């Protein structure tokens, strides 16, 4: 990982393994998902924020506080919004969760997500 003021970057982000323990996922419904990741950049007032997030299987509630772009590079998950929309996630799936999106996440196989919050 290279952190520079002009362009922070991570080579081979889909397999990068120098991750930090981010703890258990809160708001669990089933199982106990565990999070690891690596912050690449966090701007003033935490915006933007970008990095790698890895999460093990389980089901929980979530509410997205600000726009979040996700590029999933590994695993399988289902995101179901409170209005019933189902988003199946597999490697290569990109999703923009708008601020205020809420629903349920079910991680079937450990996921890896390259994310950016605005």
């Amino acid at each position: 990982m290279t952190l520079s003021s002009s362009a922070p970057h991570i080579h081979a982000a889909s397999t990068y393994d120098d991750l930090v323990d981010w703890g258990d996922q809160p708001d669990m419904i089933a199982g106990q998902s565990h999070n690891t990741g690596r912050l690449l950049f966090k701007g003033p007032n935490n915006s933007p924020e970008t990095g790698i997030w890895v999460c093990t299987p389980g089901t929980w509630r979530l509410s997205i506080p600000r726009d979040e772009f996700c590029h999933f590079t590994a695993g399988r998950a289902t995101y179901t919004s409170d209005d019933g929309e189902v988003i199946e996630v597999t490697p290569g799936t990109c999703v923009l969760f708008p601020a205020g999106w809420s629903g349920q996440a079910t991680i079937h196989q450990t996921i890896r997500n390259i994310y950016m919050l605005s």
Side-chain angles (χ1 to χ4, degrees):
M1 180 168 75
T2 302
L3 298 177
S4 69
S5 60
S6 66
H9 58 280
I10 297 174
H11 290 281
S14 62
T15 58
Y16 186 81
D17 64 358
D18 185 17
L19 305 176
V20 175
D21 186 345
W22 287 355
D24 290 335
Q25 184 66 39
D27 301 323
M28 292 300 303
I29 295 171
Q32 184 52 70
S33 295
H34 190 79
N35 303 291
T36 56
R38 176 60 68 178
L39 184 65
L40 176 61
F41 179 80
K42 188 179 277 196
N45 299 315
N46 298 329
S47 186
E49 176 186 325
T50 188
I52 300 169
W53 172 61
V54 176
C55 185
T56 62
T59 301
W60 71 89
R61 292 278 312 155
L62 73 158
S63 179
I64 307 295
R66 49 195 171 136
D67 292 345
E68 181 173 359
F69 175 77
C70 302
H71 177 203
F72 295 90
T73 61
R76 192 170 63 82
T78 303
Y79 287 83
T80 306
S81 69
D82 287 341
D83 68 6
E85 178 186 13
V86 175
I87 302 167
E88 297 293 341
V89 168
T90 57
T93 301
C94 292
V95 180
L96 174 63
F97 292 102
W101 190 97
S102 62
Q104 180 174 297
T106 300
I107 311 307
H108 308 288
Q109 296 173 337
T110 298
I111 58 171
R112 177 178 287 253
N113 172 17
I114 313 303
Y115 72 91
M116 182 168 191
L117 293 155
S118 64

